[in-house]
Amino acid sequence: MGHFQTDPLPKKHVIHETTRSVRVWLARFRVISWIVLFVITLQCLPALAQQTKKLPAAEKIVDNYLKAIGGKKQASSIRDATYDWTIQLKDQPTGAARIQIKAPASQRSELTIGNAQTISAANPRSAWVRGVDGELRTLTGPEAANAKLQAALDVAHLIDYKKANVLARVVSLDNSAAGPAYVVEFSSRGGARLRYLFSTTTKLLVGIQDDARKTVTWLEDYRKEGNILEPHVFRSNPLGNNELTFQLQQVSYNSGLPSTVFDPPRSVETLDVTTLLHEVSSYQDAVEKRVTEYSFLQKATEREIDGKGVLKKETVKVFEVFPVANRAPIMKLISENGVALSGDRAAKEDKRVQEEFLKAERDKDKLAQKQEQRRAEQQRKRAAQSEQEGDVEISKFLMVCEFVSPRHERFQDRDAVVFDFRARPGFKPGDRAETLISKLVGVVWIDPVDKQVMRLEARLAEGFKMAGGLLLSLRPGAGLVMEQTRMNEGIWMPRFMQINLSVKVLLFGGGDINQTIEWSDYKHFSADVDSYKLGVPKTEETPGKKP
C-alpha cells in the first residue's frame, strides 16, 4: 500500500537518535531541553510501539469488525441487498450508482455519469465489465481473480472466509488516511490478493486496496441500516485519477434478487453451444496429432504457500521437450531457478536424454503396437455411444452443465464465443464423475472458426469427497486455468496452464498444489532419434504474457 504504509526506524536507531539529540540540547539549554526531550519522545512512541507491539491475528480483527457492525448473526441474515448512491466529483453532483450483492458470491455495480454508463459484475464463475463504449469484456488474470474474491468477501461480510479456502494475514499497522489501521491481506491460492484496512479504534473496515484493478476505496460515516452498520459514504477512483464520492441514499435487504442480475449480458441468441462443443471435440484428435510434430520450451513454476498466503518457496525449471512417436515426450532440463545447467550436470543431462532417445528407437515397434491397442479400445468405447452422444467426456459435460450467457467478444485479437457453465438446476449425479462435474463452475472462450478452445477456467464451487473424505477430500476453490495460442500455420498450441488445489488423501496425507506451466518457442520437429543433436543448452526465451 505504497502511500499508506510507514516504514518505522529500527528500535536501536530510534533510541540512539533520541539519546544523541538529548545530549546536544542539554549542552546548550536547560529548560528548553526538557521540552525538546518530551516532544522527541512523543514522536518516537508510534515507531517504538510498532516495533514492539505484536500484531493481532487476522481472525481476531475480523471478529472485532463483525461485532462492531452488529454481530455475525445479523450480518449472515443478509442474503441479498441493493444500495443506491449519488455520485459527486469535487463536491458537485455528477451521477448515480447502484450496487447489488447476492450470496454466496455475486456483486454488480452500475455507474451512470451524464449519458455514460459502466457496469461491472462478478459471480462464482466469471467477472465481466461493459464500458462506456458498450463493449462487453470477460475479465481474466488478476483482475478477474480480485473481482471474484472481493465479491465473495463483501457479500459474506468476511464471515467464514476460511471455509471458502481464503487465506488471511495481518501485514502491518499503518497510519492511513483514515487513521491508525490494521492492514489485513486476503488472498486465494489462485493468485487473488486484496488488502482491507480496519480501524484500530472503531474496528470498522475503512479502506480496500486493489492493486490489480488499480483502485483504492475509503469507507466512512457508518450508520445503522436495519440491524447492521453500513458505510454511508465511500470514496473511490473507478474512472482513473479522479476520485469520486458516493453517498448512500437507500438500501433494501433480502428482496429476492434473481441470480440472472449478475450474469453477463447474452449477446448470441441463436448460438447452439451443444453443437459447437461437439465440433470442438471432433477437431481435437487431429490437433493432438499435429502437436506431436513440434518441440518446444516448457517452464514449470511450483510454489509453496503457507496457511496465511505467504509464499514460502518457489522453484522454476525450464525444459526442452521433444516429441517421440507413440510415447510420452522426452524432456531435457536446461535451467533451474534462472540458472542454466553447466559443466558435469549439463553433460549428465545430455547423456540421459540421448540414452532415452536410443531406448525409444529400440522399443518403437513395441510402442507402436501398444498405441494401436489403445486406439482400438478408444474406438470401441466411442462406438458404444450413440451418434448423438459423441465423445464420452463431452457427453457427460453436456448432460451435467447448463451454459449461461453465450456472447461474442474479442480475445487474443480474434473473435471468440464466450459462455459460463454451471450444473443444471436440480441435477442428480449418477456416478462419481458426474458428481465432480456438478461441483464445477467456470467460463470458456472458443474460436468459432477454428473450433478450438482458446481459454478455459474451471473451479470447484464446493468441496469434493470420495468415501466421505476417507480416500480423498478437495477443498472449495480448487481451480484450473488453461489457454492456447494460434500458430502462424493455423494450428493451436498450449500456452499457459495454472492449477491450484488443497487435497487430503487417506485422512493423513495430502497438501497444496500450486503450479504454473508455460509453453513457448514451438519448432517443427521430426520425432526420430536422428533429429536430436546434442549441443549447448538453449537459453530460456521469455514466454508470452500470462493471462
Side-chain angles (χ1 to χ4, degrees):
M1 241 185 189
H3 60 286
F4 303 139
Q5 292 181 344
T6 57
D7 296 319
L9 294 170
K11 183 177 179 182
K12 290 183 178 179
H13 182 74
V14 172
I15 294 174
H16 172 74
E17 289 299 314
T18 302
T19 305
R20 187 178 66 83
S21 298
V22 171
R23 287 202 303 267
V24 171
W25 281 98
L26 281 175
R28 298 180 180 177
F29 304 98
R30 293 182 180 273
V31 176
I32 296 179
S33 300
W34 292 105
I35 298 174
V36 172
L37 174 61
F38 179 66
V39 171
I40 293 175
T41 303
L42 291 180
Q43 290 175 338
C44 292
L45 281 177
L48 288 171
Q50 186 158 332
Q51 290 292 318
T52 58
K53 184 178 179 181
K54 185 178 179 181
L55 296 173
E59 295 90 334
K60 181 65 175 177
I61 293 173
V62 171
D63 285 344
N64 288 338
Y65 158 73
L66 289 170
K67 290 175 183 176
I69 64 174
K72 185 175 180 179
K73 182 178 180 181
Q74 298 296 340
S76 61
S77 68
I78 300 174
R79 304 300 300 164
D80 67 66
T82 299
Y83 303 85
D84 289 308
W85 310 77
T86 58
I87 304 175
Q88 290 185 344
L89 175 62
K90 298 180 180 178
D91 298 326
Q92 296 297 317
T94 189
R98 168 169 284 188
I99 298 176
Q100 296 170 296
I101 62 173
K102 181 180 177 65
S106 295
Q107 189 174 58
R108 176 188 173 109
S109 301
E110 297 181 21
L111 276 67
T112 303
I113 299 177
N115 295 325
Q117 185 185 62
T118 63
I119 302 175
S120 61
N123 57 59
R125 307 175 308 277
S126 63
W128 55 273
V129 297
R130 189 167 68 186
V132 294
D133 58 0
E135 292 294 322
L136 179 65
R137 181 168 66 98
T138 302
L139 301 180
T140 61
E143 276 188 294
N146 278 17
K148 287 185 277 190
L149 176 60
Q150 184 169 351
L153 293 174
D154 291 358
V155 171
H157 291 89
L158 306 179
I159 296 172
D160 294 334
Y161 64 86
K162 282 188 173 182
K163 290 184 179 179
N165 206 17
V166 175
L167 313 174
R169 67 185 180 110
V170 182
V171 176
S172 61
L173 170 62
D174 278 8
N175 289 317
S176 71
Y182 291 118
V183 181
V184 180
E185 183 179 82
F186 295 95
S187 62
S188 71
R189 298 186 189 278
R193 199 168 297 276
L194 294 166
R195 288 189 171 184
Y196 282 42
L197 282 74
F198 297 87
S199 170
T200 59
T201 53
T202 66
K203 315 303 180 186
L204 296 170
L205 176 63
V206 294
I208 301 174
Q209 181 194 15
D210 183 343
D211 291 341
R213 292 180 288 176
K214 298 179 176 61
T215 60
V216 177
T217 302
W218 296 104
L219 309 172
E220 305 168 1
D221 190 19
Y222 276 84
R223 284 182 267 155
K224 205 164 190 179
E225 291 286 346
N227 295 317
I228 192 171
L229 288 181
E230 296 274 18
H232 280 59
V233 174
F234 77 86
R235 295 179 288 110
S236 187
N237 58 335
L239 302 181
N241 295 326
N242 294 323
E243 184 177 77
L244 302 178
T245 300
F246 297 73
Q247 295 183 329
L248 184 63
Q249 301 302 301
Q250 64 177 11
V251 57
S252 61
Y253 298 115
N254 300 329
S255 61
L257 287 176
S259 298
T260 52
V261 168
F262 309 93
D263 292 341
R266 182 186 179 105
S267 62
V268 188
E269 297 296 336
T270 59
L271 178 66
D272 185 346
V273 174
T274 299
T275 299
L276 180 60
L277 287 175
H278 276 304
E279 291 174 340
V280 170
S281 178
S282 65
Y283 274 62
Q284 195 59 35
D285 286 345
V287 171
E288 288 177 358
K289 290 178 181 178
R290 292 288 306 278
V291 168
T292 60
E293 300 173 4
Y294 289 81
S295 65
F296 50 89
L297 290 183
Q298 176 174 306
K299 179 180 178 180
T301 304
E302 294 187 3
R303 304 175 186 86
E304 292 183 19
I305 301 174
D306 67 15
K308 294 183 178 180
V310 178
L311 179 66
K312 295 172 59 180
K313 183 180 178 182
E314 182 176 83
T315 303
V316 181
K317 294 182 179 181
V318 179
F319 300 86
E320 278 186 293
V321 183
F322 304 96
V324 177
N326 303 317
R327 55 151 284 170
I330 293 174
M331 300 178 66
K332 175 187 174 184
L333 180 65
I334 61 174
S335 73
E336 192 167 14
N337 296 326
V339 180
L341 267 64
S342 61
D344 290 344
R345 193 177 181 194
K348 288 179 181 178
E349 184 69 1
D350 277 338
K351 182 180 179 182
R352 182 193 65 79
V353 170
Q354 183 71 63
E355 290 174 348
E356 197 166 344
F357 266 101
L358 293 172
K359 184 177 185 302
E361 179 69 14
R362 289 195 302 268
D363 297 343
K364 65 179 182 180
D365 292 339
K366 186 187 302 183
L367 292 171
Q369 184 179 3
K370 288 184 177 180
Q371 181 65 17
E372 187 59 36
Q373 292 173 349
R374 284 193 291 266
R375 288 198 186 101
E377 179 64 17
Q378 289 174 354
Q379 291 176 356
R380 186 190 65 78
K381 289 182 178 180
R382 289 176 180 174
Q385 300 289 315
S386 67
E387 185 177 348
Q388 289 75 24
E389 286 180 325
D391 184 82
V392 177
E393 289 76 14
I394 287 290
S395 297
K396 281 190 178 292
F397 185 65
L398 295 173
M399 179 175 61
V400 175
C401 295
E402 67 172 356
F403 307 107
V404 181
S405 302
R407 51 204 185 267
H408 279 305
E409 297 184 22
R410 292 288 291 177
F411 186 71
Q412 294 185 3
D413 294 325
R414 292 179 65 84
D415 290 332
V417 171
V418 188
F419 56 86
D420 295 11
F421 65 88
R422 64 189 176 202
R424 299 181 184 277
F427 176 79
K428 303 295 183 184
D431 57 33
R432 185 179 298 158
E434 292 176 7
T435 300
L436 180 58
I437 295 172
S438 70
K439 295 178 183 294
L440 293 174
V441 297
V443 58
V444 183
W445 289 254
I446 293 179
D447 187 304
V449 177
D450 290 353
K451 305 296 189 297
Q452 285 295 304
V453 174
M454 305 169 80
R455 182 180 173 94
L456 166 68
E457 297 180 6
R459 60 179 293 272
L460 202 59
E462 306 174 36
F464 174 74
K465 296 180 179 181
M466 291 174 56
L470 294 175
L471 293 179
L472 179 142
S473 178
L474 284 170
R475 297 190 66 184
L480 168 71
V481 177
M482 183 276 291
E483 191 170 298
Q484 297 193 108
T485 188
R486 191 177 192 270
M487 309 293 288
N488 291 334
E489 54 268 42
I491 188 173
W492 287 78
M493 293 292 195
R495 188 183 78 83
F496 175 89
M497 184 178 74
Q498 183 180 44
I499 183 170
N500 66 86
L501 55 87
S502 298
V503 60
K504 182 171 67 175
V505 182
L506 296 174
L507 287 180
F508 307 107
D512 297 323
I513 297 174
N514 191 304
Q515 186 175 42
T516 300
I517 302 176
E518 300 164 76
W519 295 275
S520 63
D521 195 31
Y522 284 98
K523 295 179 180 178
H524 202 270
F525 179 84
S526 175
D528 296 320
V529 66
D530 292 339
S531 298
Y532 177 67
K533 303 296 183 183
L534 291 178
V536 179
K538 295 181 182 179
T539 57
E540 177 190 346
E541 295 187 13
T542 303
K545 182 180 178 183
K546 295 183 185 179

